Amino acid sequence: MISVFDVVRISRIDHALVNSRQLVITDAQGKPNGLLTDLVKDVIEKINIFMTISLSTTVDDVLVALSKNTPLPADALVEYEKILTETVVNINFAPRKGVIELVLDHQ
């Protein structure tokens, strides 16, 4: 299975990394989850500021870089780890909306 971080790490739009505004977390019915979407946006913005990811970058690499370079508390890093390791069950490209929807299976 593929994780949220895997999608962030490998996805490109016009050969550029996906930016934080282009990802939306949804459920299986397509209903957006604002809380998780905001969390993903926040972590992607911090990744873009404090490091460059490549195909060999891991979630642990991200957490170490953020803990060294930001004053984030440990509980924030735990939440980042949780969202980055969530399993994506489907990816929906929504060009009219200009977003990529990551479908998570939260039942």
Side-chain angles (χ1 to χ4, degrees), residues 36-83:
L36 294 181
T37 297
D38 288 344
L39 185 59
V40 166
K41 286 179 182 182
D42 190 46
V43 72
I44 290 172
E45 289 169 3
K46 289 195 176 43
I47 288 170
N48 290 338
I49 293 169
F50 295 106
M51 65 184 302
T52 302
I53 60 173
S54 67
L55 291 179
S56 61
T57 304
T58 65
V59 171
D60 287 336
D61 295 334
V62 170
L63 297 174
V64 167
L66 293 179
S67 69
K68 287 182 180 178
N69 296 304
T70 68
L72 288 169
D75 59 335
L77 294 172
V78 167
E79 292 304 313
Y80 284 175
E81 181 179 23
K82 286 179 186 176
I83 192 61

Side-chain angles (χ1 to χ4, degrees), residues 18-29:
V18 174
N19 70 49
S20 61
R21 294 177 312 273
Q22 293 172 303
L23 291 178
V24 175
I25 304 297
T26 71
D27 63 15
Q29 288 73 40

Side-chain angles (χ1 to χ4, degrees), residues 79-95:
E79 292 304 313
Y80 284 175
E81 181 179 23
K82 286 179 186 176
I83 192 61
L84 290 173
T85 57
E86 281 281 349
T87 300
V88 176
V89 296
N90 199 351
I91 300 174
N92 181 51
F93 295 92

